[in-house]
Each structure stands twice: as C-alpha cells, then as structure tokens.
Amino acid sequence: RKFLELVGVDLEDFLETHGATGLFAQVNSLVGIRNAIAHGHPTATTTFADVDNYIVSVEQIANLVDLAVAESVQVICDMTTLPW
C-alpha cells in the first residue's frame, strides 16, 4: 500500500469505485486460512475449489492495481492515454 500511496493511489477507494471491495475480504480470508495451516491449527483446511477461487480473486486485485497505477501515472504525467 505504501508504494501505491507514493503514486497517489488509494486502493480501498479505487476498489470501492469499481465495485470490488469484496476482493479484500476474500484475500484476507485466504491469508487467515494460510496462517492457520502454517501454525498447525488442527481444523484448518481448504479445498481445491477454494484455492481456485482465491487465485481468481488475487488475479482480479492485481488487474485492478495495475489499472489504478496506470490511471495515476496518466494523471501525474499529463498523458492523454493510459501508459500501458
């Protein structure tokens, strides 16, 4: 988030604007499950379907972060089109 702040991106606002605030909850859920598994919690499990869903969520966040940074760079550099 610090890098995004350096280029003028408020990720939470950007995700909200694009109707994607639920992605944070999905990724946080993944982190919680990963931590539980890593620390040997006996009931911590996940399924292949869960992992597939998490991959989709992370890809969606990555694409939105890419777009947010591109839009910010466009404004900073006074460009008429997105830089990538």
Side-chain angles (χ1 to χ4, degrees):
R1 288 188 183 187
K2 296 255 184 214
F3 170 76
L4 295 175
E5 290 173 4
L6 288 173
V7 294
V9 174
D10 181 329
L11 187 57
E12 289 183 38
D13 283 347
F14 190 84
L15 292 177
E16 185 175 327
T17 299
H18 288 80
T21 54
L23 290 174
F24 264 141
Q26 292 171 358
V27 172
N28 284 336
S29 172
L30 166 65
V31 171
I33 291 169
R34 191 225 61 92
N35 288 343
I37 291 169
H39 294 284
H41 194 279
T43 61
T45 62
T46 191
T47 66
F48 287 112
D50 291 335
V51 172
D52 288 341
N53 289 332
Y54 295 136
I55 290 170
V56 169
S57 297
V58 170
E59 287 175 341
Q60 289 174 338
I61 286 180
N63 288 331
L64 286 167
V65 167
D66 179 70
L67 178 60
V69 172
E71 288 180 359
S72 185
V73 169
Q74 179 183 12
V75 170
I76 291 168
C77 296
D78 196 27
M79 301 170 74
T80 57
T81 60
L82 292 175
W84 54 83

